[in-house]
Amino acid sequence: MDEEYKKLVSLMEQRVEVNKHKGLDIVIKKIPDSDVEGDLDPRVMNVTLDMLKAMASGPKMEFGSLAADNIGQLRAMMGWPNVDVTVTEIETDHKTIDGKDGPIPIRIYSPQKSGPMPAIVFFHGGGFIGGSVDSVENPCKCLAEKAGAVVVNVDYRLAPENPYPAGLTDCFDAVKWVYEHAAEINVNPEQIGVAGDSAGGNLSAVCSLMDRDLGTGMIKYQALLYPTVSMSGVATDDFEWNMEEYTVNHNHELIQGIIRALGSSTGLENIYLDGNTKVTDPYVSPLLADDLSGLPATLIIEAEYDYLRLEGEAYARKLIRSGVKTKMIRYNGVDHAFMDKIGLYPQAEDCMNEIAKGLKELLA
């Protein structure tokens, strides 16, 4: 691994402050090598400019008119070539387990550690229509190493071929399989958590709600990475999207475009749900759940320049009001899906370290 990158990862641990905003204590992780406020991390800037050039020279993509006939193009744009940053041996086992609706492929990452370990069941992002276990394999291996835990990467079914609740059913079935087969994979069944990015963060949050509602008591920790928790976009007493909430001091048009891009697509909820439930269903938009009490200890990680940031903060506040132990971390200078770029963005590796620390603190 490049020495400069290692230095930046180390600096992420040092450049931290805590700010209170609307009653929520937010741990702010600053750009590791810049004191400029209200601007993109230089690595994010370079990637963004390269992507804009590629998009300008490629086929035109209408993000505002999301429909089933451009799913393939969207899927091809998801994920990022990332790097294995582990320094110890992480065993990888490909398995197919039996779910309620059929087989579910999973990958199990295990550090070289004796005795039953904690487990984190990980759900990749991709708007419920894309993403893959491949794109999050290196982050999952990193998490296994840093947490000293078995990480299970779930290849759940995607819409539109398999609309709601197919993917959610697979995810919950995967958690249940880990719980019931804990001894087989060297896991302590009383130390199981869930984690996921974006749509995977939604699936993690909803699995935790289902676990509470069903009284199964399997999930003890949830780490939600820039999750979508209000697909309805409905304003609540504590949430209403507003660009004024974002601090942008430089590159205004570029940054505002980055923020708005994720919120400009229409039709995703229709493709995911396919009329099977309402977008206001708490198992789709958990921010709208009447009661969040009894949920597991929670870590919510957000990107400064992400359209989903405000709903994530509202979810954290609601969890805290419900008596749930909750920590909120915001990474400055980065945008949505920054975790995919582990090995390039130091924030991505630090994010895995924070998830690992949250698990260890819970189990201490």
Side-chain angles (χ1 to χ4, degrees), residues 11-29:
L11 285 170
M12 292 300 307
E13 287 281 334
Q14 305 169 32
R15 294 176 56 77
V16 181
E17 64 182 31
V18 179
N19 291 345
K20 184 176 284 292
H21 180 64
K22 294 185 176 180
L24 177 65
D25 288 333
I26 303 177
V27 178
I28 304 293
K29 294 268 190 164

Side-chain angles (χ1 to χ4, degrees), residues 158-324:
L158 301 174
E161 297 89 346
N162 298 282
Y164 177 92
L168 175 60
T169 298
D170 287 352
C171 290
F172 193 77
D173 282 353
V175 175
K176 187 177 179 182
W177 183 89
V178 171
Y179 183 78
E180 293 177 346
H181 294 78
E184 177 184 328
I185 58 174
N186 200 20
V187 160
N188 183 339
E190 300 304 315
Q191 297 179 342
I192 295 174
V194 291
D197 59 308
S198 194
N202 173 284
L203 293 166
S204 298
V206 176
C207 279
S208 294
L209 280 171
M210 292 175 65
D211 185 47
R212 181 204 64 179
D213 294 346
L214 294 170
T216 40
M218 300 180 293
I219 300 172
K220 301 301 192 296
Y221 174 61
Q222 59 175 346
L224 315 178
L225 286 68
Y226 37 85
T228 173
V229 290
S230 182
M231 290 187 69
S232 67
V234 172
T236 69
D237 291 342
D238 190 38
F239 166 69
E240 184 173 6
W241 196 88
N242 184 354
M243 180 63 84
E244 297 301 316
E245 290 287 327
Y246 296 83
T247 300
V248 183
N249 296 329
H250 308 274
N251 299 297
H252 292 74
E253 290 187 10
L254 176 63
I255 294 176
Q256 289 182 9
I258 289 170
I259 295 169
R260 291 187 186 278
L262 199 63
S264 65
S265 296
T266 57
L268 174 60
E269 66 279 5
N270 295 328
I271 293 173
Y272 173 47
L273 300 179
D274 195 31
N276 292 328
T277 190
K278 294 180 180 179
V279 73
T280 53
D281 185 329
Y283 283 1
V284 176
S285 296
L287 179 62
L288 303 184
D290 291 333
D291 178 19
L292 296 182
S293 64
L295 289 175
T298 303
L299 171 64
I300 299 179
I301 290 176
E302 297 287 357
E304 183 179 21
Y305 298 126
D306 184 356
Y307 185 85
L308 301 180
R309 195 193 91 200
L310 304 185
E311 61 191 69
E313 292 173 3
Y315 198 56
R317 288 192 294 270
K318 190 167 184 175
L319 284 165
I320 291 169
R321 290 196 301 270
S322 300
V324 177

